[in-house]
Amino acid sequence: MGEIYCFLLRRDLGPDVPDVVWPLGVEISTYRPELAGAVHDLMQLGHREGGGRVPALEVWQQRFECDPEYDPALCFIAIDAEGVVGVAQCWTSSYIKSLVVHPRAQGLGLGRALLLNAFKVFQQRREGFVDLKVLEDNLRAQRLYESAGMYVVRRELVPDL
């Protein structure tokens, strides 16, 4: 297997962060332990499509909830009539660790809404910018991030997973 690269992207959080428009029928919530199973399932589904791996539920939940940068108020969960359809997992360091949208909700603007919501929350926390990493070959995600004003800071070698 060849080397895998990702891009570190950044969005400056000046006054120009657009308003968030949620798709019809989607409610936004923050992380609660009782949502762990549904959030984990969506993360696994998203990482199968976008690359990477998610550990077993118990391991994932323990690592997530015990991470020093964890704040449940920074994990945004989108829920529709059928359940969890989107997750933006952010760290206190103004970093978007993971952004996943369920295939049934893709193309509705949910990924953009979750991204802009994270920008707004970090802006309210007086952060100057927000970062995230995206795999070099995940062009769909890169287009979304760039359309929301993110730009490449650097290209990095992804350590063996």
Side-chain angles (χ1 to χ4, degrees), residues 13-132:
L13 297 177
D16 63 335
V17 175
D19 289 333
V20 180
V21 179
W22 296 104
L24 208 55
V26 171
E27 291 185 16
I28 190 69
S29 175
T30 51
Y31 178 80
R32 305 182 302 280
E34 59 268 24
L35 294 173
V39 169
H40 180 261
D41 290 347
L42 180 58
M43 299 282 246
Q44 284 187 310
L45 183 65
H47 284 288
R48 273 200 299 272
E49 290 188 354
R53 274 195 292 263
V54 179
L57 173 60
E58 297 75 22
V59 175
W60 171 83
Q61 187 173 4
Q62 196 272 337
R63 284 184 192 164
F64 176 58
E65 293 178 10
C66 295
D67 192 286
E69 290 200 61
Y70 166 73
D71 179 346
L74 291 175
C75 185
F76 310 108
I77 315 291
I79 300 171
D80 70 4
E82 296 179 51
V84 173
V85 288
V87 176
Q89 176 187 350
C90 305
W91 292 142
T92 55
S93 60
S94 195
Y95 181 78
I96 300 172
K97 170 81 171 112
S98 195
L99 178 75
V100 182
V101 174
H102 194 284
R104 76 168 182 265
Q106 289 176 359
L108 303 176
L110 180 55
R112 182 175 180 81
L114 284 164
L115 191 61
L116 294 178
N117 184 67
F119 294 169
K120 290 277 190 196
V121 170
F122 283 123
Q123 189 182 48
Q124 289 163 1
R125 289 176 170 233
R126 306 245 185 273
E127 297 290 348
F129 58 86
V130 63
D131 290 339
L132 62 74

